[in-house]
Amino acid sequence: MIKAERMGYEANSEFAAKMDAADPLSRYRERFIIPRNADGTEVIYFTGNSLGLQPRTTRQYVEQELEDWARLGVEGHVHAKNPWLPYHEFLTEPMARVVGTQPIETVVMNSLTVNLHLLMVSFYRPTADRYKIIIEKGAFPSDRYAVESQIKVWSPAFRRPGFGDMPAKGGTQSEDPPEGGTQNALIELAPRDGESTLRTEDIVEAIEREGERTALVMLGGVNYYTGQAFDMEAITAAGHKAGAIVGFDLAHAAGNLELKMHDWDVDFAAWCSYKYLNGGPGAVGGAFIHERHARAFDLPRFAGWWGHDKETRFQMGPEFRPIAGAEGWQISNPPILQMAALKASLEIFDEVGMAALSERSRRLTGYLEFLVRENGRDKISIITPSDAAQRGCQLSIRVKGGDRSLHERILAAGVSADWREPDVIRVAPVPLYNSFADVHSFAAALRQCLA
């Protein structure tokens, strides 16, 4: 019998079964539909970091809206069981509890990158002296594309003598875009040589070094590739001390970590809801704008009628009057069928609470780390931090000499995991529906595939 020194984990199936039996949250697995293999057995589903599983109530919730649409037509906006006109408001408070915000700071709308662009229109306001954006090197590509395109939009303002000639101290500069003078505006933070993740002190030092030249710090809450969770409170404090705006992409953090975006004083954030939040493929996303900006009506924004004052919206006047708070960043009326699917999942999150989920996540992921290390001492490295405070439920595994064929063998063994170039397999035991038995079965499959 093999035991982990610190946690008392044991590498046998009886231990996993015992842990599941003693865990009151194990019963929530029954609230989700687990995909099955060709032989009828359940898939070991460790890709909730890419697409969460479907709650059993999702079909019912979506069909309710389809039924009301068929029965009521346009009158469903006010007479549906869940009226469509205020439908997004049904999601505001439960979503706020998931990401640690106030209701006035929270809105469910659009998709992730669209929301990032809408927020950067308001919060990236470069000047001749303060114009840089700090991101992590290896950020999700869409984030980099969005940030770089925002810089290019502003590039005409950069075309002035000497503006772009400041040397970027530290970080990796972006490639020089077509317009002159923007090449120093993007700062990408890279890990130290020989390391896979960023150190908080290095992030803070870079923010301090760039200082008053930094307009925006925008990192992922959790890096999609390494699974590293950043110290968002410390990063926000450092950014604000430097006079910068601070925002986060919470795609891999929302529903995964216990977040306190309001208390950490973050300026803005955006996230998707098809990963840990189980909203379905292409699900509607969310946005957070701190309440100190709630009535900053002079902030530039891309306006649309759904962000207009609710009392006068249907007067169809020519002057845009934004709603106070995050709702004022809305553009169009909400996608009801998508929101119905997300509503089904958020009700489960509300029952369990992020504190309890985070605690279960630490135990599940700790057990996974223990078994992976025991089964592949000489072949496997885990690039995700071992410190539970620096990760959620994702582990990114690097196998010595491994390639995509190893991933294909893992899939053939009945495991849903994903491959990220050049050499990482990502696995995520999601606390809402994965079990200790899943973790044990995955470790056994990995051991067999390595053999």
Side-chain angles (χ1 to χ4, degrees):
M1 184 181 298
I2 304 171
K3 290 190 176 182
E5 294 181 2
R6 289 185 299 163
M7 300 297 295
Y9 293 132
E10 300 176 9
N12 58 64
S13 58
E14 291 80 11
F15 173 81
K18 179 181 176 181
M19 290 291 286
D20 284 328
D23 191 337
L25 298 190
S26 292
R27 62 189 176 89
Y28 281 93
R29 179 183 177 91
E30 299 173 0
R31 304 277 290 272
F32 293 84
I33 301 172
I34 313 294
R36 293 187 177 273
N37 297 301
D39 63 1
T41 59
E42 289 183 342
V43 169
I44 302 168
Y45 195 81
F46 277 7
T47 44
N49 57 311
S50 287
L51 180 65
L53 291 182
Q54 182 184 136
R56 291 190 179 277
T57 51
T58 298
R59 183 183 297 273
Q60 170 193 336
Y61 280 43
V62 173
E63 287 182 346
Q64 177 66 56
E65 306 314 323
L66 291 173
E67 179 183 329
D68 286 344
W69 179 19
R71 182 172 57 90
L72 297 169
V74 70
E75 293 301 318
H77 284 91
V78 291
H79 295 303
K81 180 180 179 181
N82 303 298
W84 304 332
L85 195 63
Y87 201 102
H88 72 277
E89 298 173 23
F90 302 150
L91 309 183
T92 300
E93 291 192 11
M95 185 65 85
R97 286 188 282 271
V98 167
V99 293
T101 64
Q102 302 297 323
I104 194 174
E105 302 171 321
T106 313
V107 64
V108 174
M109 65 178 188
N110 306 318
S111 57
L112 169 58
T113 307
V114 170
N115 286 336
L116 286 176
H117 274 298
L118 294 177
L119 295 171
M120 282 191 284
V121 164
S122 297
F123 292 107
Y124 176 53
R125 311 303 298 174
T127 67
D129 299 316
R130 187 184 290 277
Y131 59 96
K132 296 191 177 188
I133 301 180
I134 295 177
I135 66 173
E136 78 262 35
K137 187 175 178 63
F140 192 75
S142 192
D143 286 12
R144 193 185 192 282
Y145 304 155
V147 164
E148 194 168 37
S149 66
Q150 288 282 335
I151 291 171
K152 289 179 178 178
V153 165
W154 278 98
S155 61
F158 296 175
R159 283 190 239 132
R160 57 191 67 183
F163 181 85
D165 298 335
M166 297 181 190
K169 300 177 181 178
T172 302
Q173 299 178 20
S174 67
E175 295 181 2
D176 189 4
E179 298 85 353
T182 65
Q183 64 266 32
N184 292 329
L186 180 61
I187 304 299
E188 295 180 281
L189 306 177
R192 298 184 185 186
D193 289 345
E195 298 183 1
S196 299
T197 55
L198 286 163
R199 299 189 187 191
T200 300
E201 60 264 33
D202 291 348
I203 298 173
V204 170
E205 191 275 333
I207 294 171
E208 292 173 346
R209 184 175 63 243
E210 296 300 333
E212 62 187 19
R213 290 173 295 189
T214 302
L216 174 63
V217 178
M218 200 188 85
L219 305 180
V222 174
N223 182 270
Y224 85 101
Y225 186 80
T226 67
Q228 178 186 13
F230 293 112
D231 187 338
M232 288 178 265
E233 184 175 18
I235 291 166
T236 301
H240 286 169
K241 185 178 180 181
I245 292 288
V246 182
F248 289 95
D249 172 354
L250 302 179
H252 289 266
N256 181 20
L257 305 179
E258 186 177 8
L259 301 170
K260 299 179 180 180
M261 304 308 289
H262 172 85
D263 292 347
W264 295 339
D265 207 29
V266 176
D267 290 290
F268 73 85
W271 58 94
C272 57
S273 60
Y274 50 81
K275 301 180 190 295
Y276 297 104
L277 293 177
N278 313 302
V284 62
F288 155 78
I289 297 100
H290 199 282
E291 67 176 345
R292 68 175 170 278
H293 304 299
R295 290 174 174 79
F297 299 129
D298 57 337
L299 276 175
R301 68 181 81 194
F302 286 162
W305 86 305
W306 216 251
H308 190 281
D309 173 60
K310 296 174 188 177
E311 297 299 320
T312 59
R313 179 188 291 158
F314 283 92
Q315 293 178 13
M316 308 297 187
E319 181 184 351
F320 177 67
R321 297 179 180 176
I323 304 168
E327 283 186 294
W329 270 263
Q330 295 176 110
I331 291 180
S332 300
N333 56 327
I336 301 302
L337 300 182
Q338 285 190 20
M339 288 193 167
L342 180 57
K343 185 173 183 287
S345 179
L346 287 179
E347 288 184 356
I348 301 175
F349 275 92
D350 242 14
E351 285 184 34
V352 182
M354 285 307 304
L357 281 177
S358 294
E359 175 57 32
R360 186 167 196 261
S361 178
R362 283 189 285 271
R363 289 183 281 115
L364 273 174
T365 308
Y367 188 44
L368 174 63
E369 180 185 20
F370 163 65
L371 291 179
V372 167
R373 293 194 188 281
E374 289 296 323
N375 289 333
R377 292 178 183 274
D378 301 324
K379 296 182 179 180
I380 293 176
S381 62
I382 299 174
I383 65 173
T384 308
S386 286
D387 179 4
Q390 297 184 59
R391 71 184 186 197
C393 66
Q394 173 187 325
L395 290 186
S396 294
I397 298 170
R398 180 171 284 151
V399 179
K400 186 177 181 180
D403 56 23
R404 189 178 286 273
S405 65
L406 172 61
H407 178 244
E408 291 170 353
R409 292 197 297 277
I410 290 173
L411 295 179
V415 176
S416 181
D418 66 23
W419 172 266
R420 286 293 178 267
E421 296 291 350
D423 59 356
V424 162
I425 296 171
R426 302 187 306 172
V427 290
V430 174
L432 260 183
Y433 49 73
N434 284 128
S435 64
F436 287 89
D438 285 341
V439 171
H440 186 272
S441 297
F442 167 78
L446 178 62
R447 182 172 62 248
Q448 182 179 1
C449 291
L450 289 174

